[in-house]
Amino acid sequence: MPGLPIVVKIGGSTLGSHDTSLKDLVTLQKEGVDVVVVHGGGNVISQWMQRQGLPPRFVNGLRVTDAPSLEIVVAVLTGLINKELVSQVHGLGGRAIGISGIDGGLLEAHVADPELGYVGEISQVDSRPLKAILDTGYIPVVAPLAMQGHDGSDHSGGALNINGDTVAGELAHALDAARLIFLTDVGGIMDAGGRVIPRLDRRRAGLLSRSGVIQGGMIPKLAACLRALERSPTADIIDGRRPGALLECVRGVASGTTIIGEAALGSLSGNPPDSAR
C-alpha cells in the first residue's frame, strides 16, 4: 500500500443529485490514495421496515433490531445498498469490492444491551481482509454488520447490526488510519447556539461529548472520532452533500469540524505529545 489508508463513512442521506462523494473516492483511488469506505443505510432500512409494518425505534441514536428487523437490515445493507455503491464506483471508472463485517471474519461482536436487540458492540477487528483488498488495488466498501462471537447463545455465530459510525471508528483504529472522515447531512458538530465548531482537540471533544450538547445521530459519530484518534492524527465531520467536499477535506481545505489528535497537536506546536515526553 502506498501509505496509511483513509477511512470514509458515507451516510445514506448524503448521496443525492449534487453529491460527488463516489466521484471523489474514484479520484483519490486514481491518485494512489488507499481508501476504506463504510456505508450506512438507515433511511432505506426504515423505509423497508415501514413497508413491512415494523415501526423503526431508536435509543441514543442506535436502531433497535429485533429478529424480523434484522432480516431487513441484512438484506438492505448487503444486498441493496452495498452492491449499488460498488456498481456506481465501477461506473465512474473506479474499482471496488463490497463486503460486510461478517466476511473474512472482519468484525466480531457481542450483544451489549438486550434493550437494543440484535445490535452488537464490536469486540474484535481482523483488518487482514481489508488490507488484502487494498493490496490488490480495490476500494473495500463495508456494510456495517458483524458476526456474533461463539458464546453458546442461540444466536451464536449469527449476524448482528452495528452502527455504521461505530464500524468506521473501529476500522480507523485497527488500520492506524491517516484520518477518519464522516460525510454527513449537516455542516459539522454544532455548539449550543447551533453554530458549527470548526476545530476541536481530542480533550475538548470529549468534554463536549459528556456535556449533553451532542444529541441523536451525532453521538456515535463523535464517539467514533474519539476512538479513531487514539491512533489517527485527525478526524473530520463534514457536509457530504457539497460537491467536492471529500476531496477538499483530504487536500486540507477547511470545512465542517476537524478534531485533532494528540500526535497532530504535537506536530503543529513543534512539541511531542505528552505520551512521548
Side-chain angles (χ1 to χ4, degrees):
M1 293 186 291
L4 295 175
I6 293 170
V7 176
V8 177
K9 166 61 181 4
I10 298 179
S13 56
T14 67
L15 297 173
S17 58
H18 301 293
D19 169 74
T20 63
S21 299
L22 299 183
K23 182 179 178 182
D24 292 353
L25 287 171
V26 172
T27 298
L28 290 171
Q29 183 181 47
K30 291 181 177 179
E31 292 177 352
V33 178
D34 278 341
V35 184
V36 174
V37 175
V38 179
H39 66 81
N43 291 342
V44 180
I45 291 170
S46 294
Q47 291 169 11
W48 278 88
M49 287 181 63
Q50 289 167 348
R51 291 178 188 177
Q52 301 300 316
L54 300 171
R57 293 191 298 122
F58 295 86
V59 175
N60 293 327
L62 300 176
R63 182 183 299 276
V64 176
T65 308
D66 57 15
S69 301
L70 182 62
E71 293 183 356
I72 295 174
V73 167
V74 173
V76 169
L77 288 177
T78 64
L80 181 61
I81 297 175
N82 188 274
K83 302 317 170 193
E84 183 176 340
L85 289 174
V86 170
S87 176
Q88 290 181 30
V89 168
H90 280 265
L92 292 167
R95 300 197 299 172
I97 292 177
I99 64 172
S100 77
I102 297 171
D103 298 307
L106 175 60
L107 298 175
E108 186 174 302
H110 60 276
V111 175
D113 184 354
E115 183 183 1
L116 294 173
Y118 295 110
V119 174
E121 181 175 299
I122 296 172
S123 53
Q124 183 172 317
V125 179
D126 184 348
S127 61
R128 289 177 296 177
L130 297 181
K131 292 176 180 177
I133 293 171
L134 290 170
D135 284 344
T136 56
Y138 287 81
I139 297 172
V141 180
V142 183
L145 297 169
M147 180 177 67
Q148 181 167 336
H150 294 281
D151 54 9
S153 68
D154 292 341
H155 196 67
S156 178
L160 290 176
N161 184 21
I162 311 289
N163 180 273
D165 299 335
T166 303
V167 170
E170 290 293 336
L171 293 184
H173 183 272
L175 290 165
D176 294 324
R179 71 193 307 162
L180 169 64
I181 302 173
F182 282 97
L183 301 178
T184 71
D185 59 356
V186 295
I189 296 176
M190 309 287 186
D191 63 18
R195 297 175 295 269
V196 173
I197 304 172
R199 190 180 182 90
L200 287 168
D201 60 36
R202 188 164 176 260
R203 182 188 65 81
R204 287 181 59 210
L207 292 173
L208 192 64
S209 177
R210 295 187 292 272
S211 70
V213 173
I214 306 299
Q215 297 181 357
M218 192 59 72
I219 295 173
K221 287 179 177 60
L222 183 54
C225 288
L226 293 173
R227 174 63 168 163
L229 288 171
E230 293 175 11
R231 294 184 176 177
S232 299
T234 60
D236 303 89
I237 300 176
I238 65 175
D239 188 344
R241 299 168 300 179
R242 292 191 309 103
L246 177 57
L247 282 181
E248 288 180 358
C249 182
V250 172
R251 291 170 179 170
V253 178
S255 68
T257 300
T258 297
I259 308 173
I260 307 296
E262 292 180 2
L265 281 173
S267 65
L268 288 172
S269 65
N271 297 318
D274 291 340
S275 59
R277 293 177 185 168

